[in-house]
Amino acid sequence: MRQCREVSSRRRVPRTKITVPAPPADLVSRPRLLTVLEATTEAAMVFVGAPAGFGKTVLLAEWARRQDRGAVAWLSADADDNDDRLFWSAVLEALGGCGRLPEGNPLRELIVPDAPSADLAFLAEVADALDALPAPVVLVLDAAQEITSPDPWHGLRALVRHQPAGLCLAIASRREPPLPLGRARLADRLVEVGAARLRFTADEADALFAAADAAVPRDEVAPLVARTGGWPAGLRLAAASVARHGSLREFDTGQDSGVLAYLTDEVLAPFTPAQRELLRTINICDELPAGLAPVLSGRADAEAMLHELGEPATRVVDSDGAPPHHRVTPLLRTYLRSELQRRAPDRARTLHAAAARWFAGHDRPAPALLHSVRAGDPARVGELLREHAVALFLAGEHHVLRLALAVFEGRRMPAGPLAALISAALCLESAETSAAGLQLASAEAAWPARPATELTVLRQLAYSRLAQVDGTPARIRRAAEEIDERLAEGTGLGGLAILHRAGVLLTRDRARETLVRLLGTAESLRQDFTVAQCLTRLAELAGRDGDYRVMETLARRAEVRRPRENSLRSLQGAQANALLSYGALLRGEPAECLKHAKETRLLVGDAPARAARDLRLLSETLRGAAEFELGSWHAGLRRMRRARTRLGTGRACPTGYAALCAVLEQRAALRLGAAAQARDTVRWALPILAGSGELLLMRARTQLRLGRHHAASTVLRSLADDDVPMELEWAAIEASLVGVQAALAAGARERAARLLDDALRTAEPTGVRFPFVFAPAELIGFLTSRLGGLGAGERFAGEILSVRRRLRTPPIPAPLTERERSVLRLLPTQRSIDEIAQDLTVSPNTVKTHVRGIYAKLDVRSRRDAVAIAQKRGLLDTEVADFTV
């Protein structure tokens, strides 16, 4: 055996090269990946493979620090390791630093020959020494792509071929190393972590921003992860940009010089000049179908070059059954595009014009129109609009249409009636009724003597949509009746004409059948806008029928299909999100309800149109209900009241909306002891819900809250016996549970059990858990006591209790009595106890009793603290107790 007491025959290796790197300041631990790496007990190799910036080194270093002391040998590869002797000297030095290597192990004194990778005796001695170890050692070879010489890889292959029991080789590289990974995969002895696993999730990105002290709003994290593709380096660049500039604006617009420098030095530097030039050329396109790259670059080998680039420069994307296409990754595309526009705007326009011609020649009107706009060619934009505007509108390409129509704003050229009608239709989908009216007037002013059939139908549909968005029911019906379906049949607008009429002129069952047929046709024609409208209408019908699971499924499909436009209002998107918010609340998921309610509010904006007002009422009420159930009782109740009062007195809204809002708000108000708000809610609902079962439900609740359980039961019996219609199918479940509470209060446990069984039997098929999950403690106690005897409702009861335990919302505080509220309202005035007693015409001792009750219920010890808590909870609003309905 070739040994010597001194190891001077080895090349000198810097200690930093064989030391596990320290964790970065903004380290985000990734347990889901560490768990994968921990499965190396039986593995011969670990391969962490991904392009630059995916956090390979950080992950392996964290994993190495978690191993037993002395179990990991670390080697950071660099260009010097192409020297075979230096590489093996570094390997032996790294292994020699392992605590698991005994003092007498030959690896500590093994001489490195002149050509170690070709010296089979040397490699055999290394393998034998590793085999003799009492426990395996992990040898981490980081940045392995730096080793381009075949010699070190030849030696590693020979070593791995022996598969010494004392070695696990872990490789981190930007590309797959020339090692027998295939054989290891086949033998199930390879652990792999690729780019897909290394991408950050939204939660991991959120943790990164918190660690980096970057103020990125929570609702912007998921879209940012989507824009960067979860690329860890991209997200770290975003965090650094926010720290420098205070927002994501510079990062998102390609103006951050620090980000550009990183992309230039780390992403573009490894490429050849020809590859970099190709990237600068093709970045004008959001997607690059096969055949376009050679046209833009003028290179016949452009397609082959694209396949060589890979992440984080380009990705191959599959879409809708079409052939895979390349795409420059969004972050790099943003910066390359910004640089091209800044340095060579004329060249950018030329490239856009070439792309527009290519897309037009391949029957792709949407990208053809988009690139014509970016090329600054208004004549070509006008031609494409005249030929494809209607088809693009139906396909949901609204963003492209808006950009194209904006080309004519301020120009001395008439847009024509078609462009004006399309513009009006786009405005209506954003609830911009005033702008839509101006566009309709412009269309009327330019109306031809002999309009084309398509133009006539489009005008009918525009006026019908205007009525839907901001008209009375009578006006909506008249506008729908004026649509000529036969005239629309051959124009491509026939489906939209059917859609407009079906929801107004047909019965619910006929409308559903018609919409289902129309949905199939629209999907086959790829008319995404029509598809989204159909799905939203069908979801609304399902909700009215009590098919809440179907409602959510259809609403999710509609949400996926809606046009994606930056910061743009969308009535259809708002409607779909409102249904998703409603469904989440009924399932007993208030956090999800809150998320969709916020999205609804953003999509509907502050537009004054009737449909927008109605959706604001609905979304804010759902948001308030979710906040209430999550423990922000007073804030949630205030939000619900504010939504209702902002709608205005005497202003009607859809009956279903009114029923939902009234039932939710009155329920919360009664539970919190806000008597006057409960009364006002019912008064508001009376003219809209006259004769409905929801009014009887609210009356029964009021009687129960007053302690009149017999009166509550009488009201509920009249609700059942008289078969009073209800707008909300799930309200019958709520009524049964109110009956359970009334029966328990009367000591009638058998009736309570019967009503509870009815409620569970009705709720289970629909998945409605809300009335149970957030029921008062006494009802939950009764439900729990009956476990084991619920029969078919046993499983559903288990689900309810499981959701309730998971949410862990705190109990609602004891409500203040009306006298306590009267005293509380006077506490901020600094009046003395005697003065308060005089104002309320009671004795000072009575006031003191009320003050003690206030302190106990608010959990405070002083007048100042009581006022502070009351202000925080919104308890100082002027309210008068009156539970009469």
Side-chain angles (χ1 to χ4, degrees), residues 228-512:
T228 58
W231 184 37
L235 292 165
R236 284 193 160 84
L237 290 170
S241 182
V242 170
R244 284 193 295 270
H245 304 292
S247 74
L248 285 167
R249 190 179 68 83
E250 282 77 9
F251 177 83
D252 285 339
T253 57
Q255 304 300 315
D256 192 310
S257 57
V259 178
L260 179 61
Y262 178 89
L263 294 174
T264 302
D265 295 342
E266 296 295 329
V267 178
L268 297 177
F271 298 138
T272 66
Q275 288 173 324
R276 290 196 292 271
E277 180 58 26
L278 177 64
L279 281 170
R280 292 189 180 99
T281 300
I282 65 173
N283 80 83
I284 62 145
C285 292
D286 295 337
E287 62 177 67
L288 205 71
L292 180 53
V295 172
L296 294 177
S297 65
R299 297 184 63 103
D301 61 346
E303 299 284 354
M305 290 175 66
L306 276 175
H307 284 286
E308 296 173 1
L309 296 176
E311 285 195 276
T314 64
R315 294 183 67 186
V316 178
V317 182
D318 295 314
S319 61
D320 296 337
H325 58 268
H326 283 85
R327 177 180 293 169
V328 179
T329 52
L331 181 59
L332 182 61
R333 184 174 70 231
T334 297
Y335 279 81
L336 288 177
R337 192 176 289 177
S338 175
E339 187 180 28
L340 179 65
Q341 191 63 41
R342 184 172 60 252
R343 294 187 176 184
D346 290 341
R347 186 185 179 211
R349 284 191 290 271
T350 300
L351 289 170
H352 281 301
R357 289 192 296 272
W358 189 91
F359 279 115
H362 287 76
D363 196 24
R364 300 281 301 279
L369 183 58
L370 178 63
H371 286 286
S372 295
V373 170
R374 291 174 176 170
D377 187 351
R380 183 59 178 149
V381 169
E383 291 175 12
L384 290 169
L385 279 175
R386 285 190 291 274
E387 188 175 353
H388 299 292
V390 171
L392 291 175
F393 178 79
L394 295 173
E397 299 287 355
H398 294 182
H399 182 53
V400 176
L401 285 171
R402 286 179 180 274
L403 292 175
L405 290 166
V407 169
F408 300 103
E409 293 179 2
R411 292 178 178 269
R412 295 182 178 178
M413 52 194 309
L418 175 62
L421 288 172
I422 291 293
S423 183
L426 292 171
C427 291
L428 289 170
E429 293 314 310
S430 300
E432 300 166 356
T433 49
S434 297
L438 291 174
Q439 293 296 334
L440 287 170
S442 175
E444 296 291 359
W447 199 253
R450 294 185 176 179
T453 304
E454 182 182 67
L455 208 58
T456 301
V457 175
L458 192 58
R459 179 169 68 170
Q460 293 173 352
L461 292 171
Y463 281 108
S464 174
R465 186 58 172 157
L466 178 60
Q468 292 174 3
V469 171
D470 203 29
T472 62
R475 185 181 161 199
I476 293 171
R477 186 174 186 85
R478 283 197 304 271
E481 288 171 344
E482 290 173 2
I483 297 173
D484 190 335
E485 282 189 36
R486 292 184 180 179
L487 192 66
E489 280 179 3
T491 64
L493 291 163
L496 211 54
I498 294 171
L499 179 67
H500 277 235
R501 289 172 60 86
V504 179
L505 305 178
L506 301 180
T507 64
R508 193 184 300 183
D509 289 340
R510 287 275 310 281
R512 186 183 296 104

Side-chain angles (χ1 to χ4, degrees), residues 608-650:
R610 177 194 53 78
R613 293 195 306 267
D614 294 342
L615 281 168
R616 279 196 296 274
L617 168 68
L618 181 61
S619 65
E620 287 297 280
T621 300
L622 288 167
R623 182 175 175 181
E627 289 172 342
F628 185 92
E629 303 303 352
L630 287 168
S632 297
W633 309 290
H634 299 283
L637 196 54
R638 280 199 305 273
R639 186 180 297 280
M640 287 189 267
R641 181 181 60 191
R642 198 160 52 235
R644 171 174 49 81
T645 54
R646 283 180 178 175
L647 187 69
T649 56

Side-chain angles (χ1 to χ4, degrees), residues 93-129:
E93 286 296 320
L95 290 170
C98 281
R100 286 186 177 178
L101 208 69
E103 285 298 327
N105 189 282
L107 291 179
R108 294 189 179 278
E109 298 182 346
L110 190 60
I111 297 173
V112 179
D114 290 337
S117 289
D119 192 322
L120 296 181
F122 166 76
L123 295 173
E125 289 180 34
V126 173
D128 290 343

Side-chain angles (χ1 to χ4, degrees), residues 46 66 174 243 332 513 565 838:
V46 175
R66 291 163 61 101
R174 296 181 183 179
L332 182 61
E513 293 171 5
E565 305 170 44
Q838 187 176 1

